[in-house]
Amino acid sequence: MLAGYIDIPVEYEMMTRLKDNKSLADIKVATRTCKEFYENGVDSFVLVSSDSDYWGLIEALPKAKFLVMVEH
C-alpha cells in the first residue's frame, strides 16, 4: 500500500512467525539496515512501524538519516 503513495522503492518481505505473537521482523530490519549503511553506502532510510522497537537502531546509526512513520 505504501508504494502507491511514494516515488521510492519499497521492499516487502513476508516474515515467518516463530509463535503467534513473535516474528523475526525487528532483527531482520535492523540487520538489513546496518548492511545497507555499512556495505552499500545507503545513508537514508524510511521506517514504517506500529511500535517503537526501532529507536535503538536509530540511536546506533547516528550518521544515518531516518524518516520514521508511526502507525496509530
Side-chain angles (χ1 to χ4, degrees):
M1 187 165 80
L2 178 62
Y5 294 98
I6 60 176
D7 193 27
I8 59 175
V10 175
E11 290 184 21
Y12 180 79
E13 183 178 337
M14 280 299 265
M15 298 291 167
T16 303
R17 296 198 76 71
L18 301 175
K19 298 180 355 185
D20 287 342
N21 64 345
K22 196 70 180 158
S23 75
L24 297 173
D26 293 346
I27 193 65
K28 285 190 174 232
V29 169
T31 55
R32 178 68 184 273
T33 302
C34 289
K35 180 179 180 178
E36 293 298 328
F37 183 77
Y38 289 112
E39 291 183 7
N40 299 323
V42 176
D43 69 349
S44 300
F45 302 91
V46 177
L47 297 177
V48 180
S49 179
S50 60
D51 59 37
S52 61
D53 291 349
Y54 300 112
W55 291 112
L57 170 65
I58 293 167
E59 291 174 357
L61 294 174
K63 293 184 179 179
K65 299 174 202 123
F66 287 92
L67 172 63
V68 180
M69 301 172 73
V70 180
E71 177 187 27
H72 289 276

